[in-house]
Amino acid sequence: MPEGDSVYKLARRLDRPLLGRTITRSDFRVPRLATRDLAGRTVLEHVTHGKHLLTRFSGGVTLHSHLLMDGSWSVTGPGKRLPRRMLPDVRLLWETDSGHTAYGLKLHQLDLVATADEHRVVGHLGPDPLRADWDAAEAVRRLRADPTTPLVSALLDQTRMAGLGNLWANELAFLVGRSPWTPIGDLDVEALVRLAAKALRHSALVEGAYQVTTGVGTRGEDHWVAGRAGKPCRRCGTTVLRDVPLVEDPANRVTWWCPHCQPGPGPEARLPHAATRREV
């Protein structure tokens, strides 16, 4: 699943061909928005909050979208079109006065709202380190609100701190040297928030650092535990373990950890009844 740094980098890629351009043709291919038309409006900015993308247009209108697991955007240059095999996945199409065409593929949670009402679609989210209004103290307060919540479940809850997905939750648990199921109240939450914010910013803003947690950008060597089940821990050599997710439970996704470097509770301490908690 794309994480906050993924969506932030996507927004910057969309800036290049779309920012300041006027929509000449607008085609929404989802029933709820099929009659809406953005033609004549200018793209003012792409703003992110956690994993959510907000595209603001002239006239005080915002398109809200979420990639979830399989969504993506593609922009083609003048005279070019998306390959035919991808057309069934198109949920929106915008042609612009520059000749570029933007395609939203398999996008989720598509909403058109007044820019002044963006809180209706992202107001539930916690502070985001990639936003100018980042509030570390508020993130700490929210993470501490239920001190019994397991570490990875707390980090995945976007209402506490926005932008951290499963990769970052697992890697941060390793970096602080605690079991993924350690109660969040047992940690130095201020230090955890500082580390998480630094990691997310570094990943989003530094060239070549995208989601590299080990400091080594070579594929297969860029993560400590995520995706490394059955392989030796890079730090101690102990076999990295993997726990399967609980179906339809966003607080208990697939988890990787080193039992030697990350002492503490095992998966038997997974948060029960967590499906009501919000990951998105």
Side-chain angles (χ1 to χ4, degrees):
M1 175 182 290
E3 313 208 6
D5 47 354
S6 315
V7 181
Y8 182 90
K9 290 175 76 68
L10 168 64
R12 303 291 73 79
R13 290 197 300 272
L14 292 176
D15 281 347
R16 290 192 287 274
L18 299 181
L19 209 61
R21 310 314 310 189
T22 298
I23 305 299
T24 57
R25 178 190 169 209
S26 167
D27 181 6
F28 284 99
R29 299 179 183 179
V30 291
R32 192 159 51 86
L33 299 177
T35 61
R36 304 296 297 271
D37 188 359
L38 295 176
R41 296 183 187 271
T42 300
V43 180
L44 299 181
E45 58 183 333
H46 295 100
V47 179
T48 63
H49 194 146
K51 306 173 188 180
H52 298 248
L53 176 65
L54 301 167
T55 303
R56 293 173 177 163
F57 294 89
S58 58
V61 173
T62 294
L63 176 78
H64 163 251
S65 61
H66 196 302
L67 302 182
L68 289 184
M69 292 293 288
D70 55 353
S72 65
W73 286 80
S74 180
V75 181
T76 58
K80 297 183 178 181
R81 291 292 181 265
L82 207 64
R84 185 179 298 274
R85 59 181 171 78
M86 300 176 70
L87 294 180
D89 295 329
V90 173
R91 302 293 179 264
L92 65 84
L93 179 155
W94 298 329
E95 294 180 358
T96 71
D97 59 354
S98 68
H100 289 83
T101 302
Y103 302 85
L105 305 168
K106 297 183 179 179
L107 296 181
H108 302 269
Q109 300 179 13
L110 280 173
D111 302 283
L112 275 174
V113 298
T115 301
D117 293 334
E118 289 176 356
H119 62 276
R120 288 172 43 199
V121 288
V122 294
H124 65 287
L125 298 172
D128 177 351
L130 294 174
R131 289 177 56 87
D133 59 1
W134 163 241
D135 187 339
E138 177 62 12
V140 169
R141 186 192 70 79
R142 293 187 182 207
L143 285 166
R144 281 179 171 161
D146 182 354
T148 65
T149 305
L151 169 58
V152 290
S153 298
L155 293 179
L156 286 172
D157 186 345
Q158 300 297 292
T159 68
R160 304 191 192 201
M161 179 175 173
L164 300 172
N166 203 41
L167 182 146
W168 282 114
N170 280 267
E171 292 294 283
L172 287 166
F174 180 87
L175 289 170
V176 299
R178 303 297 290 270
S179 155
W181 300 279
T182 302
I184 189 73
D186 291 355
L187 281 84
D188 181 341
V189 180
E190 286 93 343
L192 174 65
V193 167
R194 285 196 299 272
L195 177 62
K198 180 179 179 181
L200 207 61
R201 290 191 189 119
H202 187 74
S203 177
L205 302 175
V206 176
E207 187 68 29
Y210 175 62
Q211 295 188 348
V212 173
T213 60
T214 61
V216 179
T218 305
R219 185 167 184 172
E221 299 180 14
D222 47 353
H223 301 146
W224 291 104
V225 290
R228 302 197 70 250
K231 297 180 180 179
C233 172
R234 299 187 185 284
R235 184 172 289 166
C236 73
T238 301
T239 301
V240 173
L241 302 180
R242 176 184 184 271
D243 189 55
V244 298
L246 296 180
V247 178
E248 299 300 323
D249 191 337
N252 290 298
R253 298 180 60 80
V254 59
T255 305
W256 300 271
W257 79 105
C258 171
H260 179 266
C261 294
Q262 297 175 258
E268 69 279 357
R270 289 189 296 188
L271 186 67
H273 312 301
T276 57
R277 295 178 179 269
R278 306 185 71 167
E279 184 193 359
V280 297

